[in-house]
Amino acid sequence: MTVAEVPSPVLTAAAWRGDRLMEGQEWVYELDAAQLAELEELGKRFLDEDPDLRFVQAEQYPLVACADAVKSWRDDVDFGRGFVLVRGLRSDRYSDALSSAIYYVLGLHMGDPIRQNEMGDLLDHVYATSDKTMDDPTAKSSKVRDKLVYHSDSSDIVALMCLRGAREGGLSCLVSGAEIYNEILRRRPDLAHLLLEPFHWDWRRQDQEAPADTYTSPVVSVEDGVFSMYAGSLYIVTAQDYPGVPKLTGDQLEVLRLFDEITYEPGMAIAMDFRPGDIQWLSNYAALHSRTEFFDWPEPQRKRHLLRLWLSSRTDRPVVEGFGKNGVVQHRSAHRDGLEHADARFSIRTMSVPRLLS
């Protein structure tokens, strides 16, 4: 792609500044009493029936009171600002298993769960089991207290549910990918086209059991007029350590540097403090996410604990071929090799307990 062919600025609701969004609360959805009762009833039934997480379908747990709400959340995530925070579940009064069940039922209605690692986990835990920092190549971002850089996850939609918050810190921060792109167009239109060209990404750093060291994807996709972003310069830079990966050019390094600079400028991001029961639904194509450093309570049962779902969207969003990790993620019904991992777990009761990985 040449400079002359670079797509125009994004003018949709997906291009936003955090300081302006924080002036209102349009991005927060409060559940009412009828919706709460329906979800608690469905969660208890899900626990009692304990279906195989690989094969259970949304229509087995139909929504009535929440049906219109879920549609509005999907619209916000897929076609609006790219995220919504749902508030009102009482996870501080539930068992972790019941919270997990309610969350998984909602996830089935928001999209289709995908596997988050080679063990086949369809529900993962953001729970610090290590004091490593992210400059340690063996650190898992979901298992440490360190701050995280802005990045995209491996799915169409990423969701986080708060079971328990931190003693201090741990804010969830989001920034609009479209607004970052608009700023790059304003400041360095001569470099913007590089974001639409493929980069090598470090797969091994994201999952030590990955079947290859890297995969390739552009940072920006514009297909049928639809803008999407997949970002996280850390994994582009660390991919440079593998043999056979082409070295980044000076212009590529400069556009990545500018991307990060704009991302962290005051006013670009929105920060939210998770309360127990909060669920954040986020389009990985619309917004990047990060987290501030946090400090935990000393007791294991009081530690900051979030549940994470990765979902495939049902909207068939047009993206360029090989965008993000679409080409390498595993959908939920079966392992790519046809043989499940020895430690695979597909019961909501067992998956509601975090693995003690470091």
Side-chain angles (χ1 to χ4, degrees):
M1 177 168 287
T2 66
V3 174
E5 297 172 319
V6 172
S8 302
V10 183
L11 303 178
T12 67
W16 47 262
R17 288 180 56 91
D19 51 6
R20 293 172 190 158
L21 283 186
M22 288 293 288
E23 293 173 357
Q25 290 285 297
E26 294 84 3
W27 46 276
V28 179
Y29 185 98
E30 294 271 0
L31 294 168
D32 63 30
Q35 293 167 333
L36 186 61
E38 177 177 74
L39 292 174
E40 291 175 348
E41 180 182 350
L42 285 174
K44 290 172 184 175
R45 182 160 73 84
F46 196 93
L47 266 187
D48 290 341
E49 296 172 358
D50 198 18
D52 189 315
L53 300 181
R54 292 171 294 181
F55 308 116
V56 61
Q57 299 297 317
E59 53 266 27
Q60 296 172 245
Y61 297 88
L63 299 175
V64 178
C66 293
D68 289 342
V70 169
K71 183 181 182 302
S72 75
W73 306 342
R74 288 200 305 258
D75 287 344
D76 280 341
V77 170
D78 287 322
F79 307 114
R81 76 183 72 84
F83 75 95
V84 64
L85 183 73
V86 176
R87 180 159 283 166
L89 287 169
R90 303 179 291 186
S91 67
D92 53 341
R93 302 185 187 182
Y94 309 151
S95 67
D96 288 356
L98 178 56
S99 292
S100 300
I102 294 171
Y103 183 43
Y104 201 82
V105 168
L106 282 174
L108 290 171
H109 287 274
M110 287 291 293
D112 192 49
I114 66 174
R115 295 169 181 238
Q116 300 187 42
N117 51 44
E118 293 300 308
M119 288 182 286
D121 291 344
L122 292 163
L123 182 70
D124 202 6
H125 299 259
V126 181
Y127 181 88
T129 55
S130 170
D131 282 325
K132 294 176 182 177
T133 55
M134 287 306 296
D135 55 5
D136 182 335
T138 67
K140 295 180 182 295
S141 59
S142 62
K143 310 303 177 190
V144 299
R145 298 183 297 103
D146 201 11
K147 66 179 180 181
L148 302 182
V149 297
Y150 281 98
H151 63 283
S152 304
D153 276 7
S154 305
S155 53
D156 298 338
I157 296 170
V158 59
L160 293 171
M161 178 181 186
C162 179
L163 298 182
R164 287 170 286 281
R167 176 173 61 84
E168 179 183 347
L171 296 178
S172 174
C173 305
L174 308 179
V175 64
S176 164
E179 189 63 15
I180 297 169
Y181 175 75
N182 290 345
E183 282 296 324
I184 291 174
L185 279 180
R186 293 181 189 114
R187 303 179 196 188
R188 290 297 304 271
D190 58 312
L191 296 179
H193 70 283
L194 297 173
L195 298 174
L196 287 91
E197 299 176 358
F199 289 85
H200 281 261
W201 301 73
D202 189 340
W203 194 0
R204 188 76 58 196
R205 175 99 182 236
Q206 298 176 61
D207 186 349
Q208 293 175 13
E209 296 188 50
D213 292 332
T214 67
Y215 55 94
T216 60
S217 171
V219 171
V220 167
S221 162
V222 179
E223 192 78 351
D224 298 338
V226 177
F227 176 92
S228 301
M229 178 167 283
Y230 178 75
S233 59
L234 169 66
Y235 294 128
I236 295 176
V237 172
T238 59
Q240 293 285 290
D241 296 335
Y242 299 113
V245 174
K247 295 304 176 186
L248 295 169
T249 67
D251 282 350
Q252 286 176 317
L253 288 168
E254 175 60 17
V255 76
L256 292 175
R257 184 203 65 76
L258 179 61
F259 187 104
D260 287 344
E261 177 185 304
I262 293 169
T263 299
Y264 289 95
E265 285 179 353
M268 285 293 291
I270 184 171
M272 58 190 78
D273 188 14
F274 281 143
R275 303 175 188 173
D278 283 357
I279 300 178
Q280 179 192 89
W281 306 102
L282 171 68
S283 168
N284 269 309
Y285 301 129
L288 289 67
H289 60 283
S290 73
R291 179 195 68 216
T292 63
E293 182 183 19
F294 65 89
F295 299 91
D296 255 331
W297 301 98
E299 302 88 354
Q301 67 272 25
R302 296 179 71 192
K303 287 181 178 292
R304 182 180 188 266
H305 191 170
L306 309 182
L307 302 175
R308 185 177 70 187
L309 280 172
W310 282 351
L311 305 172
S312 291
S313 175
R314 297 193 175 97
T315 59
D316 295 323
R317 185 189 191 98
V319 293
V320 297
E321 186 175 355
F323 187 66
K325 286 181 73 176
N326 279 313
V328 297
V329 294
Q330 299 179 75
H331 295 268
R332 61 178 171 135
S333 61
H335 190 277
R336 64 164 60 87
D337 297 327
L339 182 67
E340 294 293 0
H341 194 282
D343 294 327
R345 307 185 303 191
F346 300 110
S347 161
I348 197 65
R349 292 185 178 278
T350 54
M351 281 313 305
S352 66
V353 180
R355 297 180 187 272
L356 298 182
L357 305 174
S358 62

